[in-house]
Amino acid sequence: MKQDSAFSCHRDSAPRSGSCGGRRKRREKMLDASDIRLLMLHFLGQNAAHGYELIKSVEELSKGEYSPSPGIIYPNLTLLEEMDAIRVVDAQASRKAYALKAAGRVLLEENREHIASLIERLTSLAILVNNRSIPDVDQAIHQMKAALNSRLSQEDISEETLQSIISTLNEAAKKITTS
């Protein structure tokens, strides 16, 4: 995930005490509205569906780790309908089901690679969460966080100690990446 520069801080620019000058990092959205629209087109390209089914399809793809809200799904269904990319299957039904139109198929084809990367991102999220929930992995992550929090919560940490911590973390990251 990318980090909004307005919420990032660097050691050079932040005061030594406090967290980024008092700012907390903002958690970025998993997917933006255009990503959601492409996923909706992807699923509608397989079968006609209503909004709730589209939410469940995305949720299933990520094994429950991400679920778009109705507040993003339904306005985007309306937008796709206005773009002539989808149509209502039965306007008299209690729940509107949508199907892909020719313009929607064109959008799918034009964005095939991006859709594949979105699907990969959501499936890898499910794998990540599954692997992080392995008890030994979870315990090791917890111990690392606890050790860092304990050490970094001390006042007056020397520059030498900070550099040692940074070096150790970088070495661990390299070992994890190459193992």
Side-chain angles (χ1 to χ4, degrees), residues 3-75:
Q3 183 181 11
D4 187 335
S5 61
F7 288 90
S8 66
C9 77
H10 300 284
R11 184 157 155 60
D12 303 352
S13 61
R16 187 140 173 209
S17 63
S19 167
C20 296
R23 284 191 175 168
R24 290 185 142 270
K25 290 181 185 173
R26 177 175 77 127
R27 185 175 175 182
E28 292 295 321
K29 287 191 253 179
M30 173 62 64
L31 301 171
D32 65 22
S34 63
D35 293 336
I36 293 293
R37 284 192 295 275
L38 289 174
L39 284 172
M40 291 165 57
L41 290 173
H42 167 75
F43 290 118
L44 291 173
Q46 297 170 4
N47 294 308
H50 53 78
Y52 179 76
E53 290 171 321
L54 293 169
I55 291 170
K56 289 301 175 189
S57 294
V58 173
E59 192 175 292
E60 187 177 306
L61 185 62
S62 70
K63 303 290 188 242
E65 292 306 316
Y66 174 73
S67 180
S69 71
I72 191 138
I73 292 292
Y74 291 102

Side-chain angles (χ1 to χ4, degrees), residues 4-173:
D4 187 335
S5 61
F7 288 90
S8 66
C9 77
H10 300 284
R11 184 157 155 60
D12 303 352
S13 61
R16 187 140 173 209
S17 63
S19 167
C20 296
R23 284 191 175 168
R24 290 185 142 270
K25 290 181 185 173
R26 177 175 77 127
R27 185 175 175 182
E28 292 295 321
K29 287 191 253 179
M30 173 62 64
L31 301 171
D32 65 22
S34 63
D35 293 336
I36 293 293
R37 284 192 295 275
L38 289 174
L39 284 172
M40 291 165 57
L41 290 173
H42 167 75
F43 290 118
L44 291 173
Q46 297 170 4
N47 294 308
H50 53 78
Y52 179 76
E53 290 171 321
L54 293 169
I55 291 170
K56 289 301 175 189
S57 294
V58 173
E59 192 175 292
E60 187 177 306
L61 185 62
S62 70
K63 303 290 188 242
E65 292 306 316
Y66 174 73
S67 180
S69 71
I72 191 138
I73 292 292
Y74 291 102
N76 278 293
L77 282 170
T78 301
L79 179 60
L80 287 170
E81 192 176 7
E82 290 170 358
M83 294 169 58
D84 207 33
I86 62 173
R87 64 178 174 80
V88 175
V89 176
D90 179 5
Q92 303 305 316
S94 61
R95 284 183 160 174
K96 284 185 189 177
Y98 296 87
L100 213 52
K101 290 179 77 173
R105 293 198 189 286
V106 169
L107 285 170
L108 267 178
E109 185 56 34
E110 289 173 350
N111 292 283
R112 185 173 16 118
E113 288 179 24
H114 186 64
I115 293 168
S117 74
L118 293 172
I119 291 169
E120 183 179 331
R121 186 184 331 161
L122 289 172
T123 54
S124 68
L125 174 65
I127 294 167
L128 168 68
V129 170
N130 186 51
N131 286 336
R132 284 188 70 166
S133 67
I134 296 169
D136 288 345
V137 172
D138 185 52
Q139 182 179 10
I141 291 169
H142 176 74
Q143 287 175 347
M144 178 62 77
K145 285 180 181 178
L148 278 169
N149 289 339
S150 173
R151 193 66 172 113
L152 294 175
S153 67
Q154 297 173 357
E155 263 189 81
D156 300 326
I157 298 174
S158 72
E159 189 64 33
E160 181 181 327
T161 300
L162 284 174
Q163 291 307 314
S164 175
I165 292 169
I166 292 167
S167 175
T168 300
L169 289 171
N170 285 333
E171 280 181 46

